[in-house]
């Protein structure tokens, strides 16, 4: 399975940032007795995120992402809220 990812981030202030990302995955097909089994995975995923750093040790981010293209009709959507604590 091969994966390539591209992220573009922009800091609007020293604490607030936004990000866009795309990812492509392809390959991963199983071969049994020298014959492909037809389960190759080719899909494309996009996401957008917003984040805010409260201080050096605490940050909060929210992300929305979804699969927007697939060779085998895979569908998926994700909402993620992440709290980062550093110590």
């Amino acid at each position: 399975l091969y994966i390539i990812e591209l992220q573009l981030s922009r800091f609007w202030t020293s604490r607030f940032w936004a990000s866009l990302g795309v990812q492509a995955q392809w390959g991963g097909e199983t071969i049994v007795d020298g014959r492909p089994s037809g389960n190759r995975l080719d899909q494309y995923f996009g996401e957008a995120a917003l984040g805010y750093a409260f201080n050096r040790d605490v940050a909060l981010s929210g992300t929305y992402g979804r699969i927007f293209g697939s060779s085998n009709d895979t569908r998926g959507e994700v909402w993620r809220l992440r709290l980062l604590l550093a110590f």
Side-chain angles (χ1 to χ4, degrees), residues 12-47:
W12 298 99
T13 69
S14 63
R15 294 179 182 233
F16 179 70
W17 57 269
S19 175
L20 296 174
V22 292
Q23 183 183 82
Q25 300 177 353
W26 64 96
E29 185 170 34
T30 304
I31 298 175
V32 179
D33 293 330
R35 296 170 49 158
S37 60
N39 61 349
R40 180 181 169 101
L41 176 66
D42 295 328
Q43 65 185 20
Y44 307 94
F45 179 81
E47 67 180 354

Side-chain angles (χ1 to χ4, degrees), residues 23 25 41-47 64-78:
Q23 183 183 82
Q25 300 177 353
L41 176 66
D42 295 328
Q43 65 185 20
Y44 307 94
F45 179 81
E47 67 180 354
Y64 170 76
R66 70 182 285 247
I67 296 172
F68 60 84
S70 174
S71 62
N72 59 358
D73 296 327
T74 302
R75 295 182 308 184
E77 186 174 54
V78 63

